[in-house]
Amino acid sequence: MNALNIPTITLNDETEIPQLGLGVFKVDPGETERIVSDALEVGYRHIDTAAIYGNEAEVGAAIAKSGIPREEIYVTTKLWNDRQGDAKAALSESLDKLGLDRVDLYLVHWPVPSQDTFVSAWEQVLDLREAGLTTTAGVSNHELEHLERIIEATGEFPAVNQIELHPEHQRQELTAFCRANGIAIEAWGPLAQGKSDLLTLPQIQEIGAAHDKSAAQVVLRWHIENGTIVFPKTTRRERMEENAALFDFELSETEHAVLTALEAGRNYSTNPRDM
Ligand code: NAD
């Protein structure tokens, strides 16, 4: 099985992450093994899952069956909110399900400020990195004030922050802080989770037509050109192929600016501060 030729981003711990992968949020466990197998056959080598998605075992089964050497597949999973006091056991359970002895990236899934245990959760994830159970340590859904607290407490900058990010929700202040501090940005909901009219906007369709690309490819290309890591979710093999065909065209400055101008401060999911 041949890998697609996907660029990598070098993280602040000097490891490399493929800039494109497949996300499996809300992928039914009964379908996950087939979908991840399809993605690996198409040439994806980066899978983003989470304990809460309930499909780690099926992700692991597809990886095992693929016969692809472990070091060629980048696997991310995440620490769920009710396990922030218990990260070591939580990651061990995830590893058992995945059938792996380490993940590439382990993320604190949400800070959950009302619970106020995210600093301790981050400290535990750093310990798990030291123990070799995850190669890289990162966070997800962390706002500025959460990043500042974990950095202040430990002196350690997360390698990534995985946040809701798309043309309608660009998080300028947060992303500027991350970029200035060497924290790579992963966009979840890079296509606005299919909840917006983004892909039917005439200005995006027009850009697509000019490059013989779909609206989804235009939006994903915009993320790639911003240096963001993406793992759009799809269960359909032809869309896996489509979503990976991003490296044979470039947006002009004007085209890029058309997408950037869509900023509306509009998120389609939970605000991390409200949890
Ligand atoms: P997404 O933006 O990837 O959108 C997925 C939707 O877009 C699906 O409905 C799919 O049918 C549609 N789609 C995919 N490719 C398409 C194409 N080529 N043309 C038209 N429509 C297309 O949303 P997502 O799944 O929420 O985000 C991607 C990944 O991010 C998830 O699978 C998960 O791994 C991760 N995620 C993380 C968090 C977090 O809290 N850290 C939250 C949500 C998602």
Side-chain angles (χ1 to χ4, degrees):
M1 277 194 261
N2 291 332
L4 289 162
N5 191 11
I6 303 291
T8 59
I9 301 262
T10 304
L11 301 175
N12 65 8
D13 60 2
E14 302 306 325
T15 60
E16 301 208 358
I17 181 169
Q19 199 180 357
L20 178 88
L22 180 81
V24 292
F25 176 49
K26 289 199 174 157
V27 174
D28 188 276
E31 275 198 297
T32 303
E33 186 181 327
R34 191 273 299 164
I35 288 163
V36 174
S37 298
D38 276 357
L40 295 172
E41 267 178 43
V42 167
Y44 283 69
R45 293 293 182 268
H46 171 183
I47 308 294
D48 183 274
T49 185
I52 195 67
Y53 301 171
N55 55 23
E56 288 170 312
E58 292 75 15
V59 169
I63 292 172
K65 283 191 188 157
S66 74
I68 298 167
R70 168 66 187 96
E71 62 278 9
E72 290 177 21
I73 306 181
Y74 197 96
V75 181
T76 298
T77 196
K78 314 184 189 90
L79 174 68
W80 187 240
N81 304 340
D82 62 2
R83 306 299 298 274
Q84 287 194 352
D86 193 18
K88 188 171 182 199
L91 179 53
S92 295
E93 288 163 28
S94 287
L95 289 172
D96 277 353
K97 289 180 183 154
L98 286 160
L100 302 176
D101 55 13
R102 64 160 188 98
V103 285
D104 296 277
L105 176 60
Y106 197 45
L107 305 178
V108 177
H109 204 146
W110 293 86
V112 200
S114 64
Q115 186 173 285
D116 201 17
T117 53
F118 62 90
V119 173
S120 155
W122 173 239
E123 288 168 342
Q124 292 168 63
V125 169
L126 291 173
D127 288 345
L128 293 168
R129 185 186 65 187
E130 291 318 302
L133 299 179
T134 181
T135 304
T136 295
V139 297
S140 177
N141 297 303
H142 279 47
E143 298 290 332
L144 267 182
E145 67 271 22
H146 311 130
L147 290 174
E148 280 165 358
R149 270 191 61 199
I150 64 170
I151 294 164
E152 161 114 28
T154 62
E156 292 263 10
F157 290 70
V160 314
N161 189 15
Q162 182 179 124
I163 55 174
E164 180 180 353
L165 192 72
H166 44 76
E168 292 174 75
H169 192 54
Q170 296 178 37
R171 312 305 320 272
Q172 294 296 1
E173 196 188 0
L174 180 58
T175 56
F177 176 89
C178 290
R179 289 188 209 290
N181 287 286
I183 302 169
I185 296 155
E186 295 193 326
W188 65 254
L191 300 171
Q193 300 192 305
K195 293 177 181 169
S196 103
D197 61 358
L198 192 61
L199 301 185
T200 56
L201 290 178
Q203 59 272 48
I204 297 192
Q205 302 245 334
E206 240 170 68
I207 296 171
H211 294 279
D212 204 13
K213 293 284 177 182
S214 69
Q217 289 171 317
V218 170
V219 174
L220 293 170
R221 179 67 204 178
W222 172 84
H223 283 289
I224 295 288
E225 290 182 3
N226 286 335
T228 303
I229 300 153
V230 285
F231 23 82
K233 192 273 289 288
T234 180
T235 57
R236 288 161 52 178
R237 190 179 172 121
E238 67 275 14
R239 281 194 171 161
M240 293 173 195
E241 285 166 1
E242 176 185 335
N243 293 348
L246 306 176
F247 302 99
D248 56 355
F249 77 114
E250 280 178 27
L251 301 174
S252 70
E253 257 180 57
T254 317
E255 290 168 336
H256 196 95
V258 168
L259 278 93
T260 304
L262 294 172
E263 170 64 77
R266 189 176 298 136
N267 61 307
Y268 289 95
S269 193
T270 314
N271 181 332
R273 292 186 170 120
D274 294 340
M275 289 178 96

